[in-house]
Amino acid sequence: MSPKDLPKTMRALVIAQFKADPPYELRDDLPVPQLGPKDVLLKIATAGYCHTEVMVTRGDFASKSRAGLPLIPSHEPTGTIVAFGQEAEAMASEVDGIGNDGPLKLGDRVGCLTFRDFCGKCDDCKAGQPKFCQDQDMVGVTADGACAEYMRADIRSCFRLPAKLSFDAAAPLCCAGATIYTAIKGCSLRAGQRLAIIGAGALGHLGVQMSKCLGLQTILLDARDPPLDMCRKLPYPPDVAYNSGSVDPKNPKQVSKLLEDIGGPVHAVIVATDVIPAFEVALAILRNHGLLMVVGQPENPIPVSYNDLIFRDITVKGSLLGDPALTKEMCDLVADRGIEVKTQAYPLEDVERMRADYAKPGHSGKMVLRVSDGA
Ligand SMILES: [Zn+2]
Ligand SMILES: [Zn+2]
């Protein structure tokens, strides 16, 4: 498709008002976005529905939004490049994440991280860490996202998708997959070392498979049996999948039983859930000198004592999403090794049915919305 063939208007879901019920309106009269110099226009194929969407509809990020309402949701965009901004084509050969396949070009199938219009001048941008830039928009969070036929994406956040990877499978990798892979890599473990992941949800089911593919002994903990059962049937199941829901992390006897059941303490734990007891269990199963990697975002402070930090030499770190290069590496790993991405796909107009299914306690895998076939 050449830019002159692009329509003027498009179909999209919008948040017209925060805290509305239902939260989204389907519109067909929205303008196709104009591109800035560093942008590409994506024809969206599949858009992922993330845990964060609820916070977006509540207006939790409203103070950071330069565009205001209406806002198009989804920060898990996949699609095809249909147009380049003025400088974007020249930048395509410089951006990270393109690997050895040559610069991104028209017609390429891509995924995209949420970061857009970062300043390029601050210390973090200069250090190649634009995800920490305070002067930027986040598509689907503070600026228009992927639940639309077309989306304006920052080419610096785009990465080519492997041909083997479907758009449905790729969408969750743009946030959930990138987040858990970056967290695993951030643990800096060697093959054979022991990693525990707490939370068998969207992030956890991807994380255990990636961890296994990286050669780590992998322990998965959750307080619910259905997602643990689901993870036992994955192509790369964890070495141990264990329901730790009834373990009191303050009870030494229960902790030693837990450690016995999971084969001993671990070198690192990634907490991919928001509940405080998960962090207490994490600290209880770490070896001395171990690493607590924080991905879940609990409302209350995480209870780490001086004893953990000083007398056990525990390190506590957080991990924020990822960058295009590492995300592309992860997408290649998923495609090459046949890591299973559990998804439930819905057409855009069925967003309410999707939300109802999302609210059911037994749902497993990631919800995605199909906007087009991406061609
Ligand atoms: Zn997300
Ligand atoms: Zn910056």
Side-chain angles (χ1 to χ4, degrees):
M1 185 185 292
S2 90
K4 66 178 179 342
D5 299 325
L6 289 169
K8 293 275 179 290
T9 57
M10 65 176 188
R11 211 162 69 105
L13 286 184
V14 298
I15 300 165
Q17 260 192 322
F18 294 123
K19 300 187 178 123
D21 184 23
Y24 304 117
E25 287 175 21
L26 184 60
R27 301 257 302 263
D28 58 9
D29 59 347
L30 288 161
V32 169
Q34 300 286 311
L35 296 187
K38 296 178 174 63
D39 295 332
V40 289
L41 190 66
L42 301 186
K43 182 174 189 207
I44 296 294
T46 301
Y49 182 83
C50 176
H51 187 59
T52 310
E53 305 300 344
V54 179
M55 295 159 76
V56 177
T57 60
R58 278 200 313 238
D60 290 7
F61 304 99
S63 64
K64 293 184 178 170
S65 173
R66 298 190 270 211
L69 295 175
L71 178 77
I72 299 171
S74 178
H75 56 277
E76 296 182 333
T78 64
T80 307
I81 297 179
V82 293
F84 278 93
Q86 263 171 8
E87 299 166 20
E89 202 153 8
M91 291 171 72
S93 55
E94 298 162 25
V95 292
D96 279 342
I98 54 173
N100 298 318
D101 309 325
L104 291 172
K105 57 185 189 311
L106 281 180
D108 277 351
R109 300 166 75 249
V110 295
C112 175
L113 297 171
T114 185
F115 312 111
R116 194 183 76 190
D117 296 341
F118 37 92
C119 78
K121 296 176 199 141
C122 70
D123 288 348
D124 284 315
C125 281
K126 281 194 210 150
Q129 299 254 53
K131 64 184 180 181
F132 297 110
C133 178
Q134 296 300 308
D135 181 13
Q136 67 168 311
D137 293 322
M138 293 192 287
V139 301
V141 180
T142 64
D144 283 342
C147 284
E149 288 176 292
Y150 296 93
M151 190 192 92
R152 170 162 95 79
D154 195 314
I155 191 165
R156 297 170 295 176
S157 290
C158 292
F159 47 92
R160 186 183 276 115
L161 296 175
K164 277 193 272 187
L165 197 63
S166 72
F167 286 123
D168 284 3
L173 301 182
C174 297
C175 176
T179 299
I180 196 71
Y181 189 68
T182 303
I184 294 170
K185 288 293 219 174
C187 292
S188 304
L189 298 180
R190 294 187 306 276
Q193 288 190 309
R194 290 164 59 74
L195 172 68
I197 296 177
I198 306 187
L203 276 74
H205 91 280
L206 294 170
V208 291
Q209 298 181 84
M210 294 167 185
S211 172
K212 286 299 294 175
C213 287
L214 295 173
L216 302 173
Q217 278 190 55
T218 306
I219 292 98
L220 177 66
L221 302 180
D222 200 292
R224 306 158 299 165
D225 283 325
L228 288 168
D229 287 339
M230 181 267 278
C231 289
R232 289 187 184 103
K233 294 175 201 137
L234 291 167
Y236 301 94
D239 296 287
V240 180
Y242 190 85
N243 190 326
S244 57
S246 61
V247 176
D248 174 3
K250 294 187 184 76
N251 180 323
K253 267 195 188 152
Q254 291 189 21
V255 169
S256 37
K257 170 81 167 65
L258 169 64
L259 286 172
E260 201 178 299
D261 289 344
I262 65 171
V266 297
H267 296 88
V269 187
I270 299 172
V271 181
T273 178
D274 297 343
V275 294
I276 290 294
F279 292 90
E280 294 169 338
V281 168
L283 287 161
I285 63 172
L286 274 174
R287 297 160 55 114
N288 281 0
H289 324 291
L291 171 68
L292 171 62
M293 180 61 87
V294 178
V295 171
Q297 300 172 15
E299 266 181 57
N300 292 315
I302 296 164
V304 183
S305 74
Y306 73 86
N307 187 57
D308 296 322
L309 298 173
I310 297 176
F311 292 97
R312 298 179 60 209
D313 192 29
I314 300 294
T315 301
V316 182
K317 263 173 87 173
S319 186
L320 169 65
L321 236 167
D323 63 35
L326 208 52
T327 306
K328 179 170 163 46
E329 176 185 304
M330 176 269 301
C331 288
D332 289 342
L333 181 77
V334 169
D336 292 345
R337 301 294 295 272
I339 287 175
E340 185 175 350
V341 185
K342 290 265 182 197
T343 58
Q344 292 187 48
Y346 300 77
L348 199 58
E349 54 272 23
D350 282 356
V351 65
E352 278 310 299
R353 184 163 62 86
M354 182 206 73
R355 288 183 61 247
D357 289 348
Y358 185 78
K360 290 177 189 160
H363 90 264
S364 67
K366 275 282 287 194
M367 307 282 175
V368 299
L369 286 160
R370 280 193 190 137
V371 183
S372 77
D373 61 7

